[in-house]
Amino acid sequence: MKFDNLDLYAALMHELKNNLGLLIMTLDTIPVQGHPDHDQPLDEARLLSQRSVERLQQALLIYKADSGELHPVVDAYAPVEMLRELRDTAQSLARDRLHVDTLVGDQVPTLWFFDRSLVEMALINAIHNSLAHSRSRLRIEADMVDGCLAYTVRDDSAGYPDHILAYGSGGSGHGSAGTGLGLRFARLIAEAHDNNGRHGELRLFNEEGAVFRFLLP
Amino acid sequence: MSLKAIKGDEHTINYGTLRALVVDDYPGMRSALKLTLSNFGISRIDLAGSAAEVIFKVGNNHYDLILCDFNLGEGRDGQQLLEELRHRGLIKLETVFVMVTAESVYEKVVATAELAPDDYMIKPFSAEVMRNRLETILMRKLAFAKVYQHFEAHELDLALLACDALIRDYPRYLVDALRFKGEVLNTMGRFDEAEALYRQVISLRAIPWARLGLAKALHHQKKDEEAEELLHDVMEKTPEMVSAYDLLAEVRLNQNDSAGAQEALLKGVSISAKTVRRQQKLGDIAHERGDLDIARNAYSAVLEKGQHSVFVSPADFGNLCRVQVDQGDVGAAMDTLKRNRSLLGSSPEGQLVSAVVQSLAHTKAGKPEEAKKALEEANRLRRGVQRIDERIMLDMAGAFMTHGQHAEADAIVSEVARNAHDSETLLAKARKLYEESGRGEAGNKVLSEATADVRKLNNDSVILAHKGDYKGASEKLLTACRVAPFNTRILMNTIWVLIKRLHSDGMDHELLDEAIRLLGEVEKQSPGHARLVDLKSKLRDVEHHFGIRRKAP
Ligand SMILES: Nc1ncnc2c1ncn2[C@@H]1O[C@H](COP(=O)(O)OP(=O)(O)OP(=O)(O)O)[C@@H](O)[C@H]1O
Ligand SMILES: [Mg+2]
């Protein structure tokens, strides 16, 4: 549990993550000027450091999961509030490159129980993926699916490649070439959530583009 | 499926009127956070770089919002700071306290803390996330305004009613209101109701804080086996929840399993070593068990981590030195005194502790003359100290016995015993001193005489109160208070009976003032005592009943 027991690599990753985090917050304080020469490199720098932090977070969490320490700390949260937060984050990352919209199902209850920080990390990764792959838009939804609260991120990209879909529909996944850390990590988080024996799920499929669906029991 | 756009997006909070405090030991982060807040329209923003600075600033200004980094470098962390601010009543419930963490493994402690911040955010976070979180918390504070108002005014029954209104009418705040209500029920000693409430929450979902609350309610109803079983499960599923280890230690002490209690606290400090009160408790238990190495480590940690903490007093130096002397490590004890000379020298209590330890150390080192000189010095200093730690008193008594001054020793032991007539541990310690000096018989006599008066007065008052004779009962207890002015149990019983008497016999301002004074005494002697909240609330009730208006005590 304590710092000394964490292995050196994990400690190093923490330090890198925290430094990068500080860098991001510093970049966020630079105002946009409306000049592409200024704003575009700034946006790229922001996005790149965000993705690097995310990578480190994922690696650390996978490390924790491997050592049996991934315990979601569940509390009550308002699904709509989290949706709003995701939307605002996506909008700020997309600036005017993509159109972002949000929808909420009328069956979604006022409160649901989950580990907000873990779930948010998984969803932000999906949003980053859509920002990287989609052509013009991305949509985030909250709805009830099969008795679970489902967050869905969909875009108009070319869709997930086949090997990812195979993994997404319950294929072996592990070890299959090209399966990124991000999706594996999202699945770990979903499955770590458990309500009376019912576990969370990650469902990946293609419609208009890629569809990332994250189910919380 | 039918999907709609999100409703209620308009920002309703007027940030211009808020005053904020940003706390981070890193200047770059402070200014980044300040800039973010000022972009929301908050113009009055103060900065602090350490816990000490926060305590100072909070004492002089009112803040609506405190944004605090968990890691504040050396000394206290953000969670300890929050506990201290709330414990000393330096911030009100209305004040928003948001913890910022880097979510390294051990900072998960924040997410599971018993005394939770209003929210916590994981670095790095964007301005958008921060704004959303603040919006949510500020709306919640508005919804809870009535609950907080009653709670701060010690009107606990009204606070409970206000919670019920939220539970009934605002699904968004259902769980928050249940959490608050459960805590109030537990502090009021209404453990069966708390138990039912937590079971209701758990039927929705096994949230860690609800399981902890349930374990607490069970423990106070003496259902310790069930509590222990539940706590084991909590620890397995939420190992970061340190307060579970503290509670487990209590549960085990209650079952006379001090080895188990020590083990639980050792696990607790391995997760979060900085909490002073956990280390104090561990030191006490280990010392009593004769586990001197563990006691020494724990007491050293208290002094190391607790610099400038309100939870640390000269008695803590006494605790460490006593163990060091017991271990025969006189040099280390003297060294502890030397290194803290200016701190100990700055208060009469510190000087006394220092003199007593020196006397013990000299005796151990075989220097009776110097030991005697230090003891005389201690005896002189003693008159200048209002309230002396009981263990230091017993140390003095033991020293007097060593030098054959039995009358002095007996007087001190008798004073300790009167003021702690129901503390088995202290009485046992005193008995041991007598046995070691070969006066076991005499000791039993001193102890039973000293406690007999207080015990009889207390028992008589219970019988009288039971018959409804609150006048008689309170007179007995007021006498007991004069004999044993530091016996918090007696003081609290007296307050309770005085309140009963006012209700039954009508208002008497002198008695009311006496109850208020005694309450102040208890607050001074055992700040944060579990029964205080309830007594304050009962005092409030009686005042309301007779239409008396007074500022909150
Ligand atoms: N929204 C999307 N549209 C199309 N393809 C996607 C999308 N999201 C992910 N992918 C594909 O799935 C792969 C795995 O994604 P994942 O997030 O798990 O991995 P990654 O290591 O983060 O990869 P990348 O850095 O490419 O996002 C990606 O490399 C990409 O080929
Ligand atoms: Mg990715």
Side-chain angles (χ1 to χ4, degrees), chain B residues 1 6 8 26 30 49 73 84 116 173 178 219 267 309 337-338 361 369 411 417 439 445 451 454 484 501 535 537 552:
Chain B
M1 79 180 165
I6 322 180
Y26 184 75
R30 282 203 294 273
E84 189 162 337
Y173 301 117
L178 284 170
H219 162 60
K267 278 203 192 118
S309 160
L337 292 185
K338 207 182 291 164
E369 279 308 305
R439 292 176 68 235
K445 191 156 166 278
T451 51
V454 175
R501 177 170 171 188
L535 284 173
S537 169

Side-chain angles (χ1 to χ4, degrees), chain A residues 112 143-150 198 201 203 213 215-217:
Chain A
W112 201 255
D143 203 3
M144 293 306 289
V145 173
D146 298 341
C148 291
L149 171 67
R198 170 98 195 250
E201 281 175 61
R203 295 182 187 168
R213 176 163 286 165
L215 275 75
L216 289 163

Side-chain angles (χ1 to χ4, degrees), chain A residues 17 85 104 106 116 143, chain B residues 1-2 4 102 119 133 172:
Chain A
K17 177 176 78 75
E85 205 168 289
V104 58
D106 49 17
R116 183 186 55 187
D143 203 3
Chain B
M1 79 180 165
S2 115
K4 300 196 187 73
D119 206 346
R133 296 282 168 90
R172 170 65 187 87

Side-chain angles (χ1 to χ4, degrees), chain B residues 345-402:
Chain B
S346 66
S347 73
E349 198 196 345
Q351 292 167 15
L352 173 65
V353 166
S354 183
V356 171
V357 168
Q358 284 183 41
S359 177
L360 297 181
H362 288 316
T363 301
K364 193 87 181 180
K367 301 182 192 161
E369 279 308 305
E370 288 168 52
K372 184 148 196 209
K373 227 185 274 163
L375 179 59
E376 274 158 17
E377 167 76 355
N379 202 28
R380 190 182 60 73
L381 287 165
R382 196 184 143 201
R383 329 228 165 270
V385 184
Q386 223 227 336
R387 172 153 168 72
I388 307 171
D389 176 65
E390 297 85 359
R391 281 174 289 188
I392 290 292
M393 301 260 283
L394 289 181
D395 287 339
M396 275 185 84
F400 275 125
M401 290 181 198
T402 314

Side-chain angles (χ1 to χ4, degrees), chain B residues 8 76 89 103-104 132 139 145 150 170 176 178 190 237 242 248 276 283 285 287 344 394 402 421 515 530 534 548:
Chain B
R76 276 164 290 190
E103 227 285 294
S104 58
N132 273 289
M139 294 302 284
H150 289 308
Y170 293 89
D176 297 313
L178 284 170
R190 288 159 67 168
K237 302 215 167 76
V242 256
L248 182 61
V276 168
I285 293 174
H287 191 199
L344 290 171
L394 289 181
T402 314
H421 75 284
D534 188 45
I548 294 170

